[in-house]
Amino acid sequence: MHYLKFVLLALSCSLLTACGAMKQNAATTTASTEWRIQSLEESFLNMKEEQRRQADANADSLAEIEAKLLALEEMMGANKVATADPEMANGNTESGWVSDLKPEEGAWVEGDKVQADEPVAQSSEEKPWDEVPGPPPVIPEPKVVERTKPKDAPAPTPKKAGPSASYEAALALYNNDDFDKARSSFDSFVKKYPNSDLVPNALYWSGETYYSQKQYPQAILAFKEVTGRYPKHSKAAAALLKIGMSYDRVGDPNNAVFYLRALVEDFPKSNPAALARKELKRLGG
């Protein structure tokens, strides 16, 4: 029991000692910090004081330099006045700068000296610039020779395209295999010249345009118009031949034989009749 009390007493003493040391260290640290702050403040104050003294010294030096410069400028100004106008330097300053130059007739007066116009030495070289050019030479305008305008010759009267020319133009289109334009031209011809002797031919060749394009039903109708309107015309024989051949092309041999026989009977000595006989042999009719 006594031993335990002794231990507790020892621990208490140790704690008290440690606390005292800590307090002492804290006090030492605080004192050190305060000293450092005080030293910095003193150094800052010393620096500011040194800057102030330096600024004062610079200001004094600058004032001294400005005073010397002002004195130097005054000296230079005085020398300039003395050099430029001796009379002003001697005290004659009533009128300031005085010019002795006065304009007179034909001369200038400079003080007591008169400078009159003197002849200038002339050079022997040519001086083209001294000669004033005269007006430019007058160039006569060329005479305009008026030519009489020839009388306009009367324009040749274009020949009116007659039925034959229109028919030949349409037939040329057919020969160039331009079947659509040829058919249109043949139809226009029939309408424009309904009493022409070439109308049967135009109707026949209109049917040929369909036949050449393998439009056999339309070809049959066109060829029948030839045989119906002009049964005794020479183109009627050719139209009968093409009607029979067109029926053969569409697969109607009975009608083909019928029209070919009509051709042989009506136009036995014609060239189309000879061809029809060959076709009838082929068809067995």
Side-chain angles (χ1 to χ4, degrees):
M1 186 70 179
H2 292 287
Y3 178 75
L4 181 59
K5 289 181 179 180
F6 178 77
V7 170
L8 291 173
L9 182 61
L11 287 173
S12 299
C13 292
S14 299
L15 288 173
L16 291 173
T17 303
C19 289
M22 289 176 65
K23 288 181 179 180
Q24 185 177 1
N25 290 335
T28 303
T29 301
T30 302
S32 175
T33 301
E34 291 178 353
W35 178 82
R36 289 176 62 189
I37 291 173
Q38 185 177 0
S39 297
L40 289 173
E41 290 178 350
E42 291 177 355
S43 299
F44 179 74
L45 292 174
N46 292 333
M47 181 186 68
K48 295 294 289 183
E49 182 65 20
E50 183 64 23
Q51 288 180 351
R52 186 185 63 77
R53 288 197 301 270
Q54 188 67 31
D56 292 341
N58 291 338
D60 295 340
S61 300
L62 183 60
E64 184 179 356
I65 291 171
E66 288 180 352
K68 290 181 179 180
L69 286 175
L70 183 59
L72 183 61
E73 288 177 355
E74 291 177 352
M75 291 178 61
M76 291 178 66
N79 292 333
K80 183 177 180 180
V81 171
T83 304
D85 193 351
E87 293 184 0
M88 291 181 66
N90 294 329
N92 185 10
T93 59
E94 294 180 359
S95 59
W97 291 91
V98 180
S99 175
D100 293 334
L101 295 178
K102 298 179 181 179
E104 292 187 358
E105 297 180 0
W108 283 90
V109 178
E110 184 178 0
D112 297 333
K113 184 178 180 182
V114 178
Q115 293 182 351
D117 293 336
E118 297 180 358
V120 182
Q122 300 293 327
S123 174
S124 61
E125 296 181 358
E126 296 182 358
K127 301 180 179 61
W129 55 85
D130 288 344
E131 298 179 1
V132 179
V138 178
I139 301 174
E141 297 182 358
K143 294 182 179 180
V144 178
V145 179
E146 295 184 358
R147 296 182 179 180
T148 57
K149 185 178 180 181
K151 294 182 179 181
D152 294 336
T157 304
K159 295 181 180 180
K160 294 182 179 181
S164 299
S166 299
Y167 174 80
E168 293 295 335
L171 189 60
L173 292 172
Y174 174 82
N175 292 330
N176 290 330
D177 298 335
D178 196 349
F179 301 123
D180 291 330
K181 288 185 178 180
R183 182 165 56 249
S184 177
S185 298
F186 284 127
D187 294 342
S188 297
F189 174 83
V190 171
K191 293 178 181 179
K192 190 174 183 179
Y193 306 104
N195 300 322
S196 173
D197 295 338
L198 295 173
V199 170
N201 300 64
L203 292 174
Y204 171 80
W205 287 110
S206 181
E208 282 285 4
T209 60
Y210 286 119
Y211 189 87
S212 299
Q213 291 176 327
K214 298 181 180 181
Q215 299 179 21
Y216 301 117
Q218 292 87 344
I220 291 171
L221 294 175
F223 289 130
K224 282 185 177 182
E225 188 174 1
V226 178
T227 59
R229 293 176 60 179
Y230 306 95
K232 299 300 180 179
H233 196 275
S234 60
K235 282 299 180 183
L240 287 171
L241 175 65
K242 285 301 178 76
I243 291 172
M245 294 175 67
S246 296
Y247 274 119
D248 181 42
R249 297 296 186 274
V250 296
D252 190 352
N254 294 329
N255 275 319
V257 170
F258 174 81
Y259 281 96
L260 290 173
R261 284 178 179 177
L263 169 58
V264 173
E265 291 175 2
D266 292 342
F267 304 93
K269 296 181 179 181
S270 63
N271 291 331
L275 294 175
R277 290 185 185 97
K278 293 179 181 180
E279 289 295 318
L280 286 170
K281 274 187 181 181
R282 185 177 62 80
L283 295 172

